[in-house]
Amino acid sequence: MTNLPAMTTQPTIHVLPPEIAERIAAGEVVERPASVVKELIENSLDAGATAVSVEIRDGGLSLVRVSDDGCGMSRVDAPLALERFATSKIRTLDDLEDIATLGFRGEALSSIAAVARLELLTRTEDELEGTRVRAGGGPVQIEPAASPTGTGVTVRDLFYNTPARRKFLKSPMREGELVRQAVIRYSLATPAVAYRLVVNGRETYVAPPATPLERIGTALGREVAADMVEADWEAADLRVQGYVSGPAIGRRDRQGQFFFVNGRPVRSGLLAVMLERPYAGRLPPERRPLGVLQIRLDPRLVDVNVHPRKAEVRLSQERSVYGAVTRAVEAALALYPRQEGPFPTLDWPFAGVPVEAGIVQESRPGYVAGGLEPLGQLDNAYIVARSREGLVIVDQHAAHEQVLFERLSGGGGGQPLTDAAIPMARYPRPPVQIELTVREAELLAPYLGALADLGIEIESFGGHAFLIRSLPASLADQEPRVLLDALLDELPRCRRLAPEAVQERLATKAACTAAVKAGDFLTREQMQALLDDLAAAWSPATCPHGRPAFILLTVEELERRFMRR
Ligand SMILES: Nc1ncnc2c1ncn2[C@@H]1O[C@H](COP(=O)(O)OP(=O)(O)OP(=O)(O)O)[C@@H](O)[C@H]1O
Ligand SMILES: [Mg+2]
């Protein structure tokens, strides 16, 4: 599945000239042990390794070691590898447009050596003797040493010289878990490569070379692999290939979703939404499908040079890529019927019935237009509407909040994600820079990932400055600073929550901030739009806080009250 070019001749390392170095997305490369592991695995894969072994101690804080059987480095090159902007992977500005390797900046090893003690042990196939290079704390030492062909990089005492950075780390167990997830992610990206993970001396993951489906079995479990269906969709210059789960399984979070763009793991709330769309009507709304999808396209259409940790890519034909993901998944699921049916909201019992959490339920049938007709607004707070069943009184804030909440958490509902509402409109352009206080910056940093999953992409910009890079379309007209302040308010309450709960809380807060308020005048069109959205919501009965979103007075109820029955 990997499309990394086989290195036929031994690559040589050179320092990039300043005009190229300047063009490289700068920023912190090493955030935590898992980022060290990520960079080292990428180097091993770029070196053509067929086997990669990862070892950590204390969550990677005291030790990370990644060894491979790749092409190795010569005596001359090994010390060069530790220099800033020293790389064998690009040479010219043009190369930057057309990157086929995972690395390209020549930054990773030098960044790691700046915050830890680093040791390289390496040998190329045609050298008899290997080389050991030690760096980090004191002058670089180079000596001959016995070594198998390939490279072993050992990183000790991460952040020993920058104690402030240690404060942003979680417990060794949690950091170790993030390392494990990184290894799993690359092992899914490159099933032909053997992987091994050793944690505190214990082998915890062993993946022999395999087919993609076998690798899913090893990485995610046999039961998962057994329920996966193949996806393969190809257009002119684009291919989406991999496996997605059938309707029998699902998770409460997106941890089972993996996307690779030209072999590079990427995280994107929008790709997740595109994967989830075809499951509407097939999977209960609170369940997320699993998927391992490789997206391949011309490297010139992918800008990988946009993020300091290479965690993001920019696609020049975003919409066709996203559309292709949905189409690939839709085709893969074609055999599974989708539940369609009459518009159900009004057949629902009285508002406020809790949706049973965690239980796999019958999916909600799809939406039929024309369900609710606005009659007027009451007290600038309620929409009074007519339905087939009777009179519906909608709390405009609660209803809008629920609609936005479902969109933000990508929760299955077909209607909210029409093409008109591409949920990750980049807003604003260029990104907005904001300065936070020390306390706010410390509060925010651990939650950047959770926010990114909601499509709120905020990036550290050095010191206490942050960049708001993108907002999902449902929040696009929000003042970024106001939105961020609201989220900052919520973060202290997220501390002891599980990741899914954090995401739910943040989505709730963002929805609450962006929703129309009681007191806002609504035009008839705005009322109709909100009623349509509510009708299409998966859980229209309540807002995310649990307050009713609407009250239904059935015709029978009216007849009873007027003593006609
Ligand atoms: N495991 C390895 N096997 C062989 N060569 C390696 C290995 N790791 C690093 N190198 C060499 O050292 C160079 C510098 O590595 P480094 O990770 O710092 O930069 P890069 O991979 O070129 O770019 P990036 O900063 O984007 O990762 C690489 O270009 C490569 O030539
Ligand atoms: Mg690298």
Side-chain angles (χ1 to χ4, degrees), residues 467-549:
L467 272 189
I468 302 187
R469 275 178 159 281
S470 71
L471 294 178
S474 34
L475 301 178
D477 53 356
Q478 295 300 300
E479 180 56 48
R481 179 76 223 205
V482 172
L483 180 67
L484 187 63
D485 283 344
L487 291 167
L488 282 168
D489 263 1
E490 197 65 16
L491 292 180
R493 283 182 279 279
C494 292
R495 280 213 182 101
R496 268 182 288 277
L497 299 179
E500 311 87 76
V502 169
Q503 206 164 337
E504 191 174 319
R505 248 199 131 105
L506 295 178
T508 303
K509 187 68 182 187
C512 182
T513 311
V516 294
K517 306 283 179 305
D520 289 347
F521 169 79
L522 299 180
T523 63
R524 198 181 163 79
E525 289 69 41
Q526 288 171 320
M527 286 191 261
Q528 184 69 65
L530 179 51
L531 292 175
D532 288 348
D533 283 347
L534 183 68
W538 279 99
S539 306
T542 58
C543 78
H545 305 286
R547 273 200 316 116

Side-chain angles (χ1 to χ4, degrees), residues 55 59 62 190-191 194 257 280 314 322 406 410-411 413 440 455 482 502 537 549:
E55 189 186 340
S62 53
T190 52
Q257 301 180 355
R314 184 175 295 142
Y322 298 136
E406 291 192 11
E440 288 172 331
V482 172
V502 169

Side-chain angles (χ1 to χ4, degrees), residues 13 39-40 43-44 46-47 68 71-73 81 86-89 102-110 151 310:
I13 303 182
E39 293 295 341
L40 297 181
N43 281 347
S44 297
D46 283 347
D68 66 54
C71 66
M73 284 172 268
T87 183
S88 56
K89 300 172 192 174
L102 295 165
F104 54 89
R105 311 154 306 177
E107 269 219 293
L109 290 181
S110 73
T151 304
K310 297 176 286 189

Side-chain angles (χ1 to χ4, degrees), residues 153-445:
V153 180
T154 308
V155 178
R156 289 197 172 83
D157 305 328
L158 186 61
F159 301 142
Y160 74 98
N161 54 355
T162 51
R165 291 240 213 135
R166 277 191 174 243
K167 282 203 210 112
F168 285 107
L169 298 179
K170 306 205 168 91
S171 67
M173 211 163 135
R174 181 74 191 130
E175 293 296 338
E177 171 58 20
L178 294 172
V179 167
R180 196 185 68 87
Q181 287 173 9
V183 174
I184 298 268
R185 200 174 307 128
Y186 283 92
S187 83
L188 285 167
T190 52
V193 175
Y195 285 83
R196 179 170 166 265
L197 173 63
V198 177
V199 178
N200 297 331
R202 231 173 43 105
E203 202 167 56
T204 60
Y205 180 59
V206 185
T211 64
L213 189 58
E214 287 165 353
R215 179 57 59 86
I216 289 173
T218 312
L220 305 180
R222 278 179 199 287
E223 326 72 60
V224 170
D227 273 317
M228 288 292 212
V229 287
E230 194 170 0
D232 192 351
W233 193 90
E234 200 169 358
D237 44 7
L238 182 67
R239 184 158 187 189
V240 179
Q241 226 181 343
Y243 290 87
V244 295
S245 56
I249 52 172
R251 288 180 58 114
R252 296 193 58 91
D253 54 34
R254 286 174 169 165
Q255 300 257 345
Q257 301 180 355
F258 300 85
F259 300 96
F260 307 103
V261 174
N262 289 347
R264 182 185 306 277
V266 293
R267 234 188 30 182
S268 148
L270 189 47
L271 285 176
V273 167
M274 293 297 146
L275 160 65
E276 288 166 8
R277 264 172 95 161
Y279 287 85
R282 291 189 169 108
L283 202 61
E286 69 282 0
R287 295 261 144 185
R288 307 298 181 99
L290 290 80
V292 177
L293 291 177
Q294 301 269 2
I295 301 161
R296 305 223 167 271
L297 67 169
D298 185 336
R300 276 167 302 205
L301 300 178
V302 186
D303 186 357
V304 293
N305 184 27
V306 291
H307 190 277
R309 285 185 298 282
K310 297 176 286 189
E312 257 182 30
V313 298
R314 184 175 295 142
L315 302 171
S316 59
Q317 289 172 5
E318 280 190 329
R319 289 187 68 140
S320 58
V321 172
Y322 298 136
V325 168
T326 295
R327 254 166 260 143
V329 177
E330 187 68 64
L333 296 178
L335 283 179
Y336 300 103
R338 183 185 238 138
Q339 308 218 4
E340 310 276 2
F343 173 53
T345 305
L346 305 172
D347 305 321
W348 273 37
F350 195 69
V353 176
V355 178
E356 254 179 286
I359 296 177
V360 180
Q361 319 167 304
E362 283 287 273
S363 305
R364 266 201 67 179
Y367 165 62
V368 175
L372 290 166
E373 180 199 344
L375 301 173
Q377 197 185 14
L378 188 68
D379 204 20
N380 282 354
Y382 305 98
I383 303 169
V384 182
R386 180 182 17 224
S387 78
R388 216 173 50 206
E389 311 263 307
L391 185 71
V392 178
I393 304 167
V394 174
D395 179 319
Q396 63 191 37
H397 177 66
H400 196 204
E401 211 177 24
Q402 178 63 17
V403 166
L404 292 176
F405 172 78
E406 291 192 11
R407 283 190 190 172
L408 285 171
S409 33
Q415 171 74 6
L417 301 172
T418 54
D419 279 329
I422 284 291
M424 207 179 290
R426 294 248 162 204
Y427 175 88
R429 298 166 208 251
V432 168
Q433 187 179 337
I434 42 163
E435 289 288 335
L436 298 182
T437 65
V438 179
R439 199 193 74 86
E440 288 172 331
E442 283 178 357
L443 196 59
L444 180 64

Side-chain angles (χ1 to χ4, degrees), residues 46-166:
D46 283 347
T50 66
V52 178
S53 167
V54 179
E55 189 186 340
I56 58 166
R57 283 190 184 277
D58 305 318
L61 287 165
S62 53
L63 176 104
V64 170
R65 177 178 291 136
V66 176
S67 319
D68 66 54
D69 61 350
C71 66
M73 284 172 268
S74 68
R75 177 76 46 87
V76 183
D77 272 2
L80 259 181
L82 297 174
E83 278 185 35
R84 199 142 186 236
F85 300 125
T87 183
S88 56
K89 300 172 192 174
I90 62 167
R91 281 179 182 277
T92 63
L93 274 180
D94 282 351
D95 294 343
L96 208 47
E97 308 292 313
D98 188 4
I99 289 170
T101 47
L102 295 165
F104 54 89
R105 311 154 306 177
E107 269 219 293
L109 290 181
S110 73
S111 306
I112 297 169
V115 292
R117 301 181 215 281
L118 187 147
E119 186 183 309
L120 278 181
L121 183 62
T122 184
R123 183 169 70 82
T124 63
E125 200 169 10
D126 36 81
E127 282 174 321
L128 293 176
E129 201 177 32
T131 306
R132 174 180 287 123
V133 182
R134 284 205 190 91
V140 174
Q141 297 167 25
I142 309 160
E143 60 190 25
S147 167
T149 305
T151 304
V153 180
T154 308
V155 178
R156 289 197 172 83
D157 305 328
L158 186 61
F159 301 142
Y160 74 98
N161 54 355
T162 51
R165 291 240 213 135
R166 277 191 174 243

